[in-house]
Amino acid sequence: CEFDKLDLEVEFGRALLNQARKMFQAQGCEHELNQFLQTGMSNPDAGWRRMHWVGIEILPNQSLALHSHPNIEFAYIVQGVMHEFRLVDHDRGIEKKRVYIPEEIKNEVNGDILHLKYHGPNLTDLVVTDGTFQHTEYPEGSMFINTIGDVHQSFTKEEGVKLFVMWGDGNADVPNDCYPQNAAFLNEQSAKAWK
């Protein structure tokens, strides 16, 4: 029945938001979520990126570049498993990047702006030791968030992953020459990850 489907969708949305709120609270960043809920946008220091839902499929055995987040993000794993290496050791004086000045990528023929490219932080002064990055697996039915400036590298193994994500249309890749020291486990190149 159509009414039951609508009730289920509303309840799913409410549960997702409640879980996201708990996760933002746990990181002391509930204000970032509240800003999004009040305006529909995230992070004025990145040019107020409008947020929206998107479905993403990351193919098996693929890796995104090491990147940071110019805006908040929360994701629900619909199918498969998402893996990540997340920078968790912030006790070394490395501040999260909050200000992102986009580079305009233009059409070479007519000069129209095709999209904006954001660059992640310079991590060359970071020497990776045990505990600097944490490996996490997010199975089907789980959820994760990214607060403004979070740094991580997402990847898949043989099962791939399908996600339902609230985001602002892109990440800020850490340039290859800005990777941390002693971090050979991170992939320097981002493969074609979604179809």
Side-chain angles (χ1 to χ4, degrees):
C1 145
E2 191 64 33
F3 181 73
D4 291 338
K5 181 180 176 192
L6 180 60
D7 284 348
L8 186 60
E9 289 171 356
V10 168
E11 192 57 37
F12 176 75
R14 187 175 291 128
L16 204 61
L17 180 58
N18 287 340
Q19 182 63 25
R21 183 169 301 284
K22 289 176 187 173
M23 296 170 107
F24 278 94
Q25 286 172 340
Q27 293 194 33
C29 294
E30 185 178 16
H31 62 283
E32 293 180 7
L33 177 63
N34 289 337
Q35 182 180 62
F36 156 67
L37 293 173
Q38 292 167 1
T39 66
M41 294 185 268
S42 175
N43 193 6
D45 293 325
W48 281 112
R49 298 172 66 165
R50 183 157 297 281
M51 304 291 289
H52 60 273
W53 286 107
V54 63
I56 298 175
E57 178 179 5
I58 303 177
L59 302 174
N61 302 309
Q62 300 295 312
S63 174
L64 302 180
L66 180 65
H67 62 273
S68 64
H69 285 267
N71 50 264
I72 67 167
E73 174 182 275
F74 44 101
Y76 177 80
I77 309 300
V78 176
Q79 182 180 350
V81 180
M82 171 70 84
H83 297 262
E84 74 169 9
F85 289 114
R86 179 175 294 269
L87 178 61
V88 293
D89 184 359
H90 292 285
D91 295 334
R92 299 182 191 194
I94 296 176
E95 293 184 31
K96 286 185 173 185
K97 183 174 180 177
R98 294 194 56 84
V99 177
Y100 292 83
I101 300 170
E103 171 188 352
E104 294 179 347
I105 306 300
K106 296 184 178 184
N107 182 313
E108 293 179 13
V109 176
N110 63 17
D112 289 348
I113 297 173
L114 298 173
H115 66 278
L116 300 176
K117 180 174 177 63
Y118 293 83
H119 298 280
N122 184 339
L123 299 174
T124 54
D125 289 339
L126 176 63
V127 178
V128 175
T129 59
D130 288 345
T132 305
F133 280 84
Q134 176 181 317
H135 175 250
T136 305
E137 296 180 11
Y138 299 102
E140 182 176 317
S142 64
M143 184 177 163
F144 67 90
I145 66 164
N146 287 299
T147 62
I148 296 168
D150 277 355
V151 174
H152 69 132
Q153 182 172 60
S154 302
F155 60 98
T156 59
K157 293 189 177 178
E158 61 280 347
E159 64 278 335
V161 70
K162 292 181 181 177
L163 310 116
F164 188 46
V165 184
M166 173 61 71
W167 77 332
D169 278 335
N171 303 317
D173 291 353
V174 174
N176 289 345
D177 60 350
C178 294
Y179 267 50
Q181 300 173 46
N182 196 29
F185 60 92
L186 296 171
N187 295 314
E188 288 188 2
Q189 297 296 322
S190 179
K192 179 175 170 41
W194 54 81
K195 52 181 175 175

